[in-house]
Amino acid sequence: DAKTTQPPSMDCAEGRAANLPCNHSTISGNEYVYWYRQIHSQGPQYIIHGLKNNETNEMASLIITEDRKSSTLILPHATLRDTAVYYCIVRVNRDDKIIFGKGTRLHILP
Amino acid sequence: GAVVSQHPSRVICKSGTSVKIECRSLDFQATTMFWYRQFPKQSLMLMATSNEGSKATYEQGVEKDKFLINHASLTLSTLTVTSAHPEDSSFYICSANIAGGRNNEQFFGPGTRLTVL
């Protein structure tokens, strides 16, 4: 079973920041938080990952709470192309298999 | 980022035939590849872990004799759906890790849509 809990769907206005929450209250000390997204009928795309510090890259920012029991993925300026299902995953390292939960279906509204 | 390809992208076959799906890492070597299946409006379900030069490890409930996996080289893994039936119609996706790399990403292929008539 997936170790994370996410809302099934969210709406965000185009141009605004999209904040996607994830609960991972049973995360272990050596597990990373990963985010992937899947645009319709495509393979998943890696977005970002982190251990305990906040992370930022060209796609998004990842905010992890101090107790590491939850995190938030932030898409700073959402566009219509960001419409996708976003998956929050916890895993130990890159060789660890990924177990996908149901994810959050993000709708970007024009 | 690294590229993973799948071939074919779509396949339609008759019930009872076997279908082979290829997963290739185009610009890196992958010691481990993973195969997933996704039904409409559902999440990806891990089927098996494919290790180069050894037998695949199947997830619980996945029939290893029906879904044959071969990982003969560091850039190619194949999934063969044997004696396919309509209930095997699904979106099959592979992913790969870079051998020896420090990158923590897992790279996914574009998927293969299988339709069994």
Side-chain angles (χ1 to χ4, degrees), chain B residues 43-62:
Chain B
S43 185
L44 288 81
M45 185 193 79
L46 179 65
M47 299 175 67
T49 301
S50 168
N51 296 296
E52 187 266 336
S54 64
K55 291 184 178 180
T57 303
Y58 290 82
E59 295 298 304
Q60 190 174 9
V62 178

Side-chain angles (χ1 to χ4, degrees), chain A residues 5-37:
Chain A
T5 305
Q6 299 177 251
S9 67
M10 291 184 63
D11 292 337
C12 178
E14 188 177 17
R16 304 296 294 271
N19 297 278
L20 292 89
C22 179
N23 182 290
H24 32 79
S25 58
T26 61
I27 191 170
S28 301
N30 61 348
E31 286 183 314
Y32 289 77
V33 179
Y34 283 78
W35 284 83
Y36 285 82
R37 73 179 182 184

Side-chain angles (χ1 to χ4, degrees), chain B residues 3 5 14 26 47-48 52 59 67-68 89 95 104 106:
Chain B
V3 177
S5 71
K14 294 182 179 180
L26 296 185
M47 299 175 67
E52 187 266 336
E59 295 298 304
F67 299 99
L68 302 178
S89 298
S95 68
N104 283 307
Q106 195 172 104

Side-chain angles (χ1 to χ4, degrees), chain B residues 14 57 70 79 84 100-101 103 105 111-112:
Chain B
K14 294 182 179 180
T57 303
N70 183 281
L79 168 68
N103 201 313
E105 299 178 36
T112 296

Side-chain angles (χ1 to χ4, degrees), chain B residues 68-87:
Chain B
L68 302 178
I69 292 173
N70 183 281
H71 193 158
S73 78
L74 286 173
T75 59
L76 174 65
S77 176
T78 60
L79 168 68
T80 300
V81 183
T82 62
S83 187
H85 291 283
E87 58 265 29

Side-chain angles (χ1 to χ4, degrees), chain A residues 36-47 59 79-87 104-106, chain B residues 38 44 91 93 109-110 113:
Chain A
Y36 285 82
R37 73 179 182 184
Q38 185 180 25
I39 295 170
H40 182 63
S41 294
Q42 297 183 24
Q45 176 190 22
Y46 165 83
I47 300 173
M59 289 183 68
T79 70
L80 296 176
R81 289 179 294 181
D82 293 320
T83 295
V85 178
Y86 287 77
Y87 296 99
T104 296
R105 186 172 296 276
L106 178 65
Chain B
Q38 186 176 32
L44 288 81
F91 193 48
I93 305 169
R113 188 162 301 283

